[in-house]
Amino acid sequence: MPPSIALRMNHALPAEHRERLLRIGRETDFPQGARLFEEGGHADRFWIVRSGTVALDMHVPGRRPPVIETIGVGDLVGWSWLYEPFVWQLGAGAVTSVRAYEFDAVAVRLMCLNDAEFGRAVEHWVGRVLAHRLNAARARLVDLYGIYETKEER
Amino acid sequence: MTAVPVPHRVVARRPETADTVTLRFEPVGRPLPDFLPGQFAMVHAFGRGEIPVSVSSVQATGGLAHTVRSVGAVSDGLCAVRVGDVVGIRGPYGTSWELERARGRDVVIVAGGIGFAPLRPLILGALAEPEAYRRINVLIGARTPSDLIARAEVASWATAYTGVTVDQPEPDWRGDVGVVTQLLGRAHFEPEETTAFVCGPEPMIRATARELIQHGVPHDRVQVSLERNMRCATGHCGHCQLGPVLVCQAGPVVDWAQAEPLLAVREL
Ligand SMILES: Cc1cc2nc3c(=O)[nH]c(=O)nc-3n(C[C@H](O)[C@H](O)[C@H](O)COP(=O)(O)OP(=O)(O)OC[C@H]3O[C@@H](n4cnc5c(N)ncnc54)[C@H](O)[C@@H]3O)c2cc1C
Ligand code: FES
């Protein structure tokens, strides 16, 4: 499994659960510019990037969708599939050509239901990724719009 | 060390971005002692005043240079100097990056904005001796692609991983978007065997240091560079005081074990 802050550094899924998940993943490719999903669409699958870069963007009427964040090798693309109402919160497009493992959301949710331990591990993993993205988004908000002084009065 | 500015002539001037230039200097007379990566000089723009500026290149590797971003009166003045002009420089001041402590280990270098400048001589030092380290990772964050410093040079580096990310992409940007900490997931390092060097805006330093530590890099192996308003740089005026320490002497480079409690103190 390729590295990711959430998947790599011991915070990932435990190996056995990771292997179980990978067994139902299928390899898929997206050419540069392809759309993985659109904001508001039904979140019925998710991906882990094997190579390339995916951009998450937000729909703004009448404008080019601004890129919120890019994600790359080892990263999870999509979390809305795990939580009701299973609706994508952002859109996603391939910035470069992308190779990924694709997972069927219904199948993974069923696996979670059938095996509480696996379910906890998956929820923990996705939750960590979410927490990380939330923190990153907050840091960017402060950085882009916040006014902070690094200097005291002379 | 000298407390009196030594005249230096600008021998090269390279605009890096719309508001940042790199100036290379030669001493007019007696040279200053060699600077170490991470140390800073007090640079005097005649008629304007004096500000602390880190070295972005040291004498040992290509001559003394500073990379200055124009944010106010003195830095504006420095950014406007021409080749042949003379400025006053005193130093070296402050502590330096402890690259020695990274030997035999993975290296993670994280730069935000102008924080790239003080890290540059460290990176060049590490790259000059690649066999001394395990894997070298360089992570760079900037506000927009136009704010990236030394893009061509960065692209030429042979590292295990070099990542660049921006907050606000421009239409032709095909690279990463987002905070610099997200690049940590792409870097190649074993946290317990890593020495990290971080410089940038304070919120970025905090977020990066916390994340590195959360993933297992030891507190005392995360070195950060602190910026405080300086005047004397010799430990006399108290301008740079942060909690119990004078940053001009105890810093600017300190390890996170030391910096964390200081940065938790509300503004003094
Ligand atoms: C150890 C150390 C190393 C430094 N290294 C570098 C370097 O390599 N390159 C470089 O360009 N600068 C560096 N700085 C910052 C530099 O010293 C300041 O930008 C400078 O003092 C500003 O002076 P000024 O007279 O131009 O602006 P002022 O008139 O004093 O300030 C103008 C405006 O800029 C803001 N400002 C001033 N300083 C900073 C700052 N540090 N960060 C954010 N906003 C600021 C002020 O709040 C004000 O709004 C370093 C500072 C320290 C303490
Ligand atoms: S700048 Fe005067 S004491 Fe540090």
Side-chain angles (χ1 to χ4, degrees):
Chain A
M1 173 77 43
S4 144
I5 204 89
L7 278 179
R8 182 183 169 217
M9 300 187 190
N10 308 328
H11 296 292
L13 286 176
E16 54 170 305
H17 297 319
R18 199 164 59 214
E19 275 157 31
R20 265 187 80 184
L21 187 63
L22 272 179
R23 251 179 269 142
I24 68 153
R26 66 178 191 91
E27 295 185 10
T28 178
D29 297 332
F30 295 98
Q32 180 179 353
R35 299 294 294 173
L36 279 71
F37 54 81
E38 298 296 344
E39 198 174 325
H42 182 52
D44 61 353
R45 64 195 76 187
F46 66 93
W47 299 265
I48 291 171
V49 180
R50 301 172 60 214
S51 69
T53 306
V54 174
L56 300 178
D57 52 30
M58 186 179 264
H59 179 69
V60 180
R63 290 220 272 141
R64 245 173 115 249
V67 174
I68 305 300
E69 189 173 14
T70 49
I71 42 196
V73 180
D75 287 336
L76 170 71
V77 184
W79 51 262
S80 306
W81 58 274
L82 186 57
Y83 306 105
E84 275 175 296
F86 311 125
V87 171
W88 295 123
Q89 304 295 309
L90 294 172
V95 181
T96 61
S97 67
V98 169
R99 293 190 310 139
Y101 293 111
E102 182 175 290
F103 301 86
D104 182 277
V106 175
V108 176
R109 288 203 304 266
L110 274 176
M111 282 164 72
C112 292
L113 275 178
N114 290 337
D115 179 342
E117 208 184 307
F118 177 81
R120 260 197 308 278
V122 168
E123 270 162 32
H124 186 65
W125 163 56
V126 178
R128 287 198 74 97
V129 173
L130 249 173
H132 185 258
R133 297 218 173 129
L134 174 64
N135 268 335
R138 286 171 170 168
R140 286 186 69 212
L141 278 178
V142 172
D143 204 39
L144 286 175
Y145 304 111
I147 313 286
Y148 57 86
E149 291 282 321
T150 55
K151 290 177 62 156
E152 306 94 286
E153 288 299 309
R154 282 177 190 223
Chain B
M1 200 209 295
T2 167
V4 187
V6 173
H8 279 69
R9 192 177 307 282
V10 177
V11 293
R13 178 184 188 279
R14 185 176 69 219
E16 300 280 2
T17 71
D19 62 2
T20 304
V21 296
T22 296
L23 302 169
R24 198 167 287 281
F25 299 95
E26 265 172 18
V28 172
R30 182 176 50 88
L32 289 172
D34 277 3
F35 283 76
L36 296 170
Q39 287 189 309
F40 68 94
M42 295 301 289
V43 184
H44 193 114
F46 291 117
R48 298 270 189 142
E50 189 184 50
I51 55 171
V53 190
S54 301
V55 286
S56 65
S57 170
V58 295
Q59 291 98 326
T61 55
L64 183 66
H66 292 289
T67 301
V68 186
R69 187 167 73 190
S70 151
V71 296
V74 184
S75 49
D76 275 357
L78 283 177
C79 286
V81 300
R82 302 281 143 201
V83 171
D85 287 357
V86 172
V87 304
I89 302 183
R90 59 187 174 102
Y93 293 119
T95 50
S96 58
W97 303 110
E98 292 182 328
L99 185 55
E100 273 302 305
R101 293 191 65 201
R103 289 186 99 78
R105 304 174 142 259
D106 287 333
V107 178
V108 176
I109 298 167
V110 191
I114 189 75
F116 174 78
L119 287 167
R120 182 173 170 267
L122 170 86
I123 299 168
L124 296 181
L127 289 176
E129 222 190 339
E131 67 288 348
Y133 313 96
R134 274 168 55 173
R135 291 167 293 190
I136 299 172
N137 298 272
V138 182
L139 283 50
I140 299 172
R143 207 150 266 246
T144 72
S146 308
D147 289 317
L148 286 165
I149 298 168
R151 269 169 98 163
E153 182 185 325
V154 170
S156 75
W157 287 340
T159 58
Y161 173 75
T162 296
V164 177
T165 183
V166 301
D167 281 318
Q168 285 172 303
E170 288 156 0
D172 59 348
W173 178 250
R174 288 281 162 276
D176 280 302
V177 178
V179 286
V180 73
T181 47
Q182 88 179 34
L183 298 178
L184 283 172
R186 323 243 176 104
H188 306 289
F189 64 101
E190 208 182 304
E192 295 77 13
E193 290 300 323
T194 293
T195 302
F197 304 91
V198 186
C199 187
E202 224 160 271
M204 169 269 180
I205 291 184
R206 265 204 301 267
T208 309
R210 281 185 189 149
E211 194 144 326
L212 286 163
I213 282 151
Q214 190 189 334
H215 290 289
V217 181
H219 275 71
D220 64 343
R221 291 201 173 269
V222 177
Q223 295 177 29
V224 306
S225 179
L226 300 176
E227 244 188 42
R228 278 298 175 274
N229 190 3
M230 306 221 181
R231 186 163 290 172
C232 71
T234 55
H236 289 101
C237 72
H239 263 73
C240 64
Q241 187 167 358
L242 179 59
V245 307
L246 295 172
V247 174
C248 68
Q249 304 219 292
V253 177
V254 295
D255 64 36
W256 188 242
Q258 199 186 344
E260 187 175 22
L262 297 178
L263 294 187
V265 176
R266 303 229 162 248
E267 210 50 68
L268 301 161

